[in-house]
Amino acid sequence: MFSAELPAELPATLSAELLMSNRRILSLWFPRLGAERLIRAEPDLWGQPLAVLRDSGQMQLVSSLSPEASAAGVHLGQPHRDAQALCPGLLTRLQNPQAEAAFLATLRRWAVQFSPWVAEEAPAALMLDITGCAHLFGGEPGLIDAVQQGCAGLGLTAQAGIADTPGAAWALARFAGRGDMPMFRSGDAIDQEAPATRVRAARRRHWTRGGPAPQLASKGSAGGAAGAAIAPVGQTRTALADLPVAGLRIDAETQAHLARLGLRRIGDLAGQPRAAVARRFGKGLMLRLDQALGAAAEPITPAREAPHFAVRLTLPEPIGLREDIEAGMLRLLERLCVLLEARGKLVRQLRLQAFRTDQSMQWVEVGLARASAEVERIRPLLAMKLDEIEAGFGIDMLRLVALRVEEAGQQRMSGPLEAGHVAARRRQSGAALEDLIGRLGARVGLERITRLHPADSHLPEKTAKVMAAPWAEAHAGPWPVPATPRPLLIWRPEPVLAPGSPYPPGVFRWRGRDLHLELAAGPERITPQWWLDDPDWRSGVRDYWRVTCREGPRLFMYFAHGGDMSAGWFCQGSFA
């Protein structure tokens, strides 16, 4: 028997490694995710040189490659015209970031079989906390073998790295064991070139003295051969020492500056004085280094799996007639409502997706003023939108998704008589109005339908506040009666051509009409809110009058006594 005591104070990195020794992280990187997603969707692309292009300003750049395209010399970030000249038989497709993000989310759900703690790392990687999981696969090598076999079965290229921290696993997955690691060389690198060579290096082509050093990196591979790297427990620093500083997840400009100083590997950077490095490159670089070595915490936050309510109908033959689409929609809606009722949910917003035979898709969305799971309340709204769907060469699949759901209230069984009373109460409670709001919203948009609620203010234009009708309940109780009558319609003040007297003029001109005074009631003096700077109230104190004209209009007018703006008469509303 023996005992050993650790020193009271340990170096920061050593103590962090001891604290993190029980945590194991797997970084799974898909270097060809964009291209292989398209190959899975279009099997004819298999074995062909394929490049996925993304728009960048006035040009298109390569964002993902198939192995055949990489073997032909095409590399990531290369302009389309250069890639096409290098590989005349190159096939290209435009990047779909939304589809790639959805595919990555699908892979996250697939990876749950290896660990319950999986997080997405956009745009093409997953991070798994495999603490306590590796023994189920015969150890960490067995776990990596199972992951790579699963990826191979899906037709995906994957590179994996396991370490004590997410940052170290990220670096190992991308740079461990690679012969084409990005290395920056400069004429000031003493350990690379002789003194006479360093003098000539300043005259290298495409390099200016004092500028960033030229980058010597292989352009033939998007991510190297599929493989894996495992850092032993507690040996994170040793495993990262020979990896390039790009493994710290820093930008290319910082990498170039570090290379000019001769700091090309993580081990070189870790041995430098922290204060000097932080002063020159900022705290972000040291944070990345600490996260990789375990001195700074970096949690993995998996996406919360939200309840998913969707139904799909795959058609044996493409359809294009509106009647056929409506029939399929009705079948989907009935199934979806049954699913929602079984889970005690009500739907507020739905999306109907129509997948065409040419691999394109179109959708329409509808919203309900009141959440429901009744087919007859939702069907008319969807039917109004079907004319917007263009069948093209035919629709071979329909999908109905509940985008927003709410909890349903407690329900109980009832007989026919009680059900009739419930329906009557529902009609009296304004359900018909809510159905009308839903139908109008399907045409003009729910956000354009508003309702008013009373507000506590002495200013005429602020006695009511505008609420979104679909999501705001109607005001309960009678509308508050103001101390003095308020007009039915209120608008922003409009100038009136009239004499500058504070008393109502006998004749005035408003909206291009000459009006004659018949009756005037007032004045009601209202002062502006001194704590707010309202541009409409810069005319100072107002004296409001209820003016009846001989021609018929009953107007809500006021005389502004002047402030930041000159005095005068204005019209702000109408009583009829």
Side-chain angles (χ1 to χ4, degrees), residues 300-311:
I300 296 178
T301 305
R304 182 178 180 181
E305 195 66 33
H308 192 64
F309 299 96
V311 289

Side-chain angles (χ1 to χ4, degrees), residues 108-194:
R108 172 182 57 80
R109 293 191 293 269
W110 166 82
V112 173
Q113 61 182 306
F114 305 108
S115 170
W117 208 256
V118 185
E120 300 175 27
E121 191 173 19
L126 298 175
M127 198 71 71
L128 292 77
D129 191 334
I130 60 171
T131 305
C133 300
H135 70 281
L136 301 175
F137 301 87
E140 292 176 351
L143 173 60
I144 288 185
D145 290 340
V147 171
Q148 290 186 339
Q149 289 177 7
C151 293
L154 297 174
L156 300 176
T157 302
Q159 295 184 194
I162 296 180
D164 295 338
T165 65
W170 189 94
L172 291 173
R174 288 158 177 79
F175 299 106
R178 284 180 49 180
D180 61 341
M181 293 187 297
M183 288 295 170
F184 293 85
R185 296 171 58 89
S186 70
D188 297 328
I190 299 178
D191 58 338
Q192 296 179 6
E193 305 178 23

Side-chain angles (χ1 to χ4, degrees), residues 555-570:
L555 304 177
F556 193 55
M557 299 173 55
Y558 69 84
F559 178 80
H561 289 268
D564 294 339
M565 298 174 60
S566 59
W569 282 94
F570 295 86

